[in-house]
Amino acid sequence: MSRIMSAAIAALAASPLLLIQPETANARTAPEPIDTSERCQLYSNTLILMNEVHINGSLVLSPKELAQEAARGILEAGHNYVIEHAPTNADHGSVLNKDGKKNIISWTLKDKTIEAGDAPENIRTYADSCAYLNSVAYQVRETAGIPIFNLFEAATAAATSKAVPKDHHSGYLPKRAAEDMIARTRGDFGGIGMELKKEVGQPIIAENVMEDNPAAKGGILKGDKITHIDGNSVLYLTSDEVVALLRGTKGSTVKLTVQRDGAEPFDATLTRDTIVQKAVTGFLLKGTEIGVIKISTFNDYTTRQFLDVAEEIAKEAYLQGKSIKHFSIRVEDNPGGLLPQAKLISDLLVNSSSTLVKRLVSTGKSPTDLSDETYADTILSYDLYEHIKRKAPQDATITPFTISVLQNGGSASASEIVAGAVQSSTVPVIGTRSYGKGTVQYVIPLTKTGKELSAEDNVQHGSLRVTAEAFFPGSGPVNAPTIGGFTLPEGFNMPGISSAGKSNLGSGIVPNILVVTGDERDDIERDRPKEQPGLLDPGMTRADEKPTYTCTVREPYRGPLSEEIQKDIPEQLVIPFLKKDSLTGEWKTVKMLDANLACDVEARAETEPSLVEFDEYKDPQAASVQQQEAPEPKL
């Protein structure tokens, strides 16, 4: 069975993307042949395929329960369509009615109510659902004018996303959503190089124009308003629809009508080009020999961009008469991406001269049922140190450097593979507990009838993204040396990782050094895994792993920083942060200390002033239990 295999791009929301095209007025009134075979096959065959491939072994919900979820998906698709295509912001009268458990039971548009009703008791197979789903879909079509097949796509997406309640990453993707997901994981697409903002009823706003790309070359500036694409108004298009119109094959053209403040509207014809997403950035920390590399996603370009950025940082250090002593590898808020790229980055960060064999990651149904194991030096014949040394000028002095990985609750999937693969007694993970997404998704191209695409099929219609395996980062009890070594302030010692080789599903990757900001509510949230366990036995996970140390931000540098306090802190350690005001409830951008990086910097070099302090980790739950069990004092 041929499948495109990838670690999913952190599907943090359970609902797959849906983009439903409007039906013309003529098509809305024309009778549709009552041939249900194609759309019903899409629904039933997709669920059958999911049942075969899913890590769970079988779907949890029954065909009848899935039919109920599918009907709710149809109602929600009608509701969303009306909202997205409302000609004005006035009241459109579209309301989803829910029961006490917040399940959708009906949809009201103006004075008309469409009820899904209870799925019939005689639904025993997925194909049995067709008549029931048709009855709901036809009502929605008559009310909102959405093609029946599109509504069955919504039904399929809803059913597959709910088929295994503890799995938030599986689901059917219609063709356009599948193409968009593949473009994001690939890292390039045909487009114009412009980030935009779009609200229904408003023109497109150019929020960012990338240099040396079609939009910039065509004269588009940040803040420009775009009112038409190829002569057609964009006012009532959704953001997804606009993106679909702007993207296209390299070499094709698109005409934009631009409105700029103080000027007459003008047309700009742009020739689309290949737009490569920036996956990796970095800099040399001023006044230090520390390189900081930020990986924002794992796409096809991540490893080559990672090497390029590391080279540039090493070159900058050389021009300043310095030599890199440490690299901070940052994967905070990185939702993941491609599994092969995570393996490549992990291999770069593990010392290839080690006499011990280190397993980077394994995948399979369980630790005893593995389909693949990846070891250091089996992908690349060099590590990051050797690469930089080979690329450096002949008179440069390149000595082994240390590394660390910085993560937070937004680090998921491929990010957790890297953190778990390199975490050892010499390479710490610094920050807070990661997201806890320990699963691998297969992305299976489908025909219009929900069958897996074969070599004989010419047209891919959609895709099934299905959780097929778990991954287990790290090597187990033996942790091979990695690049350089890691030193903490005097008196501290970094032990090995007892749970290496176990799954991070639900538990996340537990940092060696837990960063504490000083805001109790914030710290509790930061150290809470975002993924819920359930697909694996807790004994297979890192649920019992605890940090070794804490790194706490000192009192003057906690929370939003005043302009006066900012003057005392190195400029690159002050970052903008979106924070909710506890009094007004409004979100505001404030300046705060980059706590993760500050802890990493101070772990290897004294700073003036000292921004953080280290201490041994004290388990708050254990302390609470001890306090409850303490004998009452005698008077």
Side-chain angles (χ1 to χ4, degrees):
M1 188 176 282
S2 60
R3 297 191 174 106
I4 301 173
M5 179 177 174
S6 71
I9 303 177
L12 303 185
S15 300
L17 300 173
L18 288 173
L19 181 61
I20 299 173
Q21 293 298 323
E23 196 174 51
T24 63
N26 290 335
R28 186 181 302 188
T29 56
E32 183 168 323
I34 307 178
D35 178 7
T36 61
S37 60
E38 201 170 59
R39 56 181 177 265
C40 287
Q41 284 185 61
L42 170 69
Y43 176 80
S44 59
N45 288 337
T46 303
L47 284 167
I48 290 170
L49 182 59
M50 184 176 180
N51 191 72
E52 293 174 355
V53 179
H54 199 277
I55 187 175
N56 203 59
S58 62
L59 304 186
V60 175
L61 268 62
S62 69
K64 175 180 178 295
E65 291 171 320
L66 288 174
Q68 193 76 65
E69 295 295 343
R72 290 168 181 157
I74 292 173
L75 296 180
E76 189 168 12
H79 170 74
N80 292 343
Y81 175 82
V82 168
I83 291 178
E84 289 178 354
H85 294 84
T88 69
N89 290 327
D91 179 25
H92 41 66
S94 181
V95 178
L96 286 175
N97 308 306
K98 303 180 180 182
D99 62 16
K101 297 179 180 179
K102 298 185 179 180
N103 293 318
I104 300 167
I105 56 175
S106 64
W107 170 44
T108 300
L109 179 61
K110 297 296 184 182
D111 297 327
K112 184 171 182 179
T113 298
I114 301 171
E115 295 183 351
D118 293 334
E121 294 294 335
N122 63 352
I123 294 180
R124 293 181 175 84
T125 68
Y126 304 131
D128 289 343
S129 308
C130 192
Y132 167 63
L133 296 180
N134 263 322
S135 67
V136 180
Y138 272 102
Q139 292 181 74
V140 172
R141 188 192 71 162
E142 291 304 313
T143 302
I146 306 173
I148 289 288
F149 189 86
N150 292 55
L151 292 172
F152 264 76
E153 286 195 298
T156 305
T160 50
S161 67
K162 297 292 182 62
V164 181
K166 292 178 180 179
D167 175 16
H168 311 300
H169 306 294
S170 293
Y172 170 77
L173 297 172
K175 184 176 182 179
R176 187 174 293 174
E179 290 173 345
D180 184 58
M181 187 193 71
I182 291 171
R184 293 200 308 269
T185 55
R186 192 176 60 230
D188 63 50
F189 54 87
I192 62 172
M194 180 182 76
E195 296 175 6
L196 58 88
K197 178 181 178 181
K198 179 67 176 76
E199 296 179 358
V200 175
Q202 299 295 324
I204 301 165
I205 306 296
E207 290 215 313
N208 184 39
V209 181
M210 300 165 63
E211 294 182 10
D212 299 323
N213 279 287
K217 292 176 181 178
I220 306 298
L221 302 178
K222 180 178 180 180
D224 279 351
K225 297 177 181 178
I226 297 164
T227 60
H228 294 73
I229 298 177
D230 289 329
N232 299 312
S233 173
V234 302
L235 287 184
Y236 299 115
L237 296 180
T238 65
S239 177
D240 287 338
E241 289 169 331
V242 166
V243 169
L245 291 173
L246 294 178
R247 290 186 180 181
T249 57
K250 178 181 178 180
S252 61
T253 60
V254 59
K255 184 176 73 173
L256 307 183
T257 301
V258 183
Q259 175 69 62
R260 186 173 297 163
D261 289 343
E264 290 293 320
F266 64 92
D267 289 338
T269 300
L270 312 180
T271 301
R272 296 183 180 95
D273 201 349
T274 300
I275 309 300
V276 177
Q277 297 173 325
K278 193 70 173 174
V280 184
T281 56
F283 58 88
L284 179 67
L285 194 63
K286 291 180 182 179
T288 74
E289 295 172 307
I290 297 174
V292 181
I293 302 179
K294 169 67 176 174
I295 305 174
S296 58
T297 188
F298 288 86
N299 61 33
D300 281 341
Y301 295 87
T302 296
T303 300
R304 72 183 78 171
Q305 290 183 9
F306 181 87
L307 291 172
D308 289 345
V309 169
E311 283 178 44
E312 287 298 315
I313 293 173
K315 180 181 178 181
E316 186 177 350
Y318 165 75
L319 294 175
Q320 295 181 18
K322 300 175 181 177
S323 177
I324 287 292
K325 295 292 190 294
H326 176 76
F327 273 112
S328 297
I329 313 299
R330 311 197 70 163
V331 293
E332 296 111 324
D333 297 315
N334 180 335
L338 297 176
L339 177 60
Q341 289 291 317
K343 292 179 178 180
L344 284 168
I345 295 295
S346 299
D347 205 8
L348 278 172
L349 302 179
V350 174
N351 193 343
S352 59
S353 63
S354 170
T355 57
L356 295 174
V357 177
K358 180 173 175 66
R359 188 175 67 194
L360 302 174
V361 65
S362 56
T363 55
K365 302 288 186 182
S366 72
T368 57
D369 183 13
L370 299 176
S371 62
D372 180 71
E373 295 181 90
T374 302
Y375 290 85
D377 309 331
T378 59
I379 310 176
L380 299 171
S381 60
Y382 56 90
D383 60 27
L384 181 60
Y385 166 68
E386 291 168 332
H387 175 79
I388 289 178
K389 190 173 183 179
R390 186 170 64 243
K391 295 289 185 177
Q394 290 186 349
D395 61 339
T397 301
I398 306 296
T399 57
F401 42 75
T402 59
I403 62 171
S404 56
V405 177
L406 278 54
Q407 68 172 27
N408 65 5
S411 306
S413 193
S415 299
E416 295 175 286
I417 289 176
V418 171
V422 304
Q423 188 179 36
S424 67
S425 58
T426 57
V427 178
V429 171
I430 300 174
T432 53
R433 190 187 301 263
S434 63
Y435 182 85
K437 182 187 175 295
T439 54
V440 177
Q441 280 66 42
Y442 290 177
V443 181
I444 307 174
L446 301 177
T447 65
K448 198 171 185 179
T449 57
K451 292 285 189 179
E452 183 176 1
L453 201 69
S454 66
E456 292 75 30
D457 296 313
N458 297 320
V459 180
Q460 177 184 344
H461 189 74
S463 294
L464 173 64
R465 181 179 56 196
V466 56
T467 299
E469 295 184 315
F471 59 78
F472 307 91
S475 64
V478 177
N479 285 292
T482 45
I483 297 173
F486 181 80
T487 57
L488 278 166
E490 187 175 351
F492 290 83
N493 180 41
M494 188 71 68
I497 307 302
S498 61
S499 62
K502 289 189 174 184
S503 171
N504 59 295
L505 181 62
S507 62
I509 298 295
V510 179
N512 306 76
I513 303 174
L514 175 66
V515 174
V516 180
T517 64
D519 182 325
E520 184 176 355
R521 289 177 300 176
D522 183 43
D523 288 325
I524 290 173
E525 179 60 30
R526 279 162 53 86
D527 194 38
R528 178 181 295 142
K530 305 302 182 293
E531 180 67 285
Q532 295 301 313
L535 294 177
L536 290 177
D537 185 282
M540 300 180 188
T541 73
R542 302 168 182 241
D544 296 329
E545 186 71 44
K546 304 294 181 186
T548 305
Y549 299 106
T550 57
C551 174
T552 305
V553 176
R554 294 182 184 274
E555 182 61 44
Y557 311 108
R558 297 177 183 177
L561 302 172
S562 66
E563 292 186 4
E564 195 63 32
I565 291 291
Q566 290 179 43
K567 295 176 183 178
D568 297 335
I569 303 173
E571 180 183 354
Q572 290 164 305
L573 293 182
V574 177
I575 56 173
F577 192 84
L578 195 62
K579 197 170 180 66
K580 190 174 184 179
D581 190 297
S582 58
L583 297 177
T584 64
E586 296 180 357
W587 290 91
K588 296 181 179 179
T589 300
V590 297
K591 294 294 183 69
M592 297 185 68
L593 177 70
D594 188 338
N596 282 7
L597 186 56
C599 288
D600 195 21
V601 170
E602 288 205 31
R604 67 204 68 265
E606 291 185 7
T607 62
E608 185 61 42
S610 177
L611 305 171
V612 298
E613 56 184 347
F614 293 89
D615 200 355
E616 291 186 4
Y617 173 78
K618 298 178 179 62
D619 188 344
Q621 291 183 339
S624 175
V625 170
Q626 290 177 358
Q627 187 174 12
Q628 292 174 7
E629 294 178 349
E632 294 184 7
K634 295 181 179 179
L635 299 177

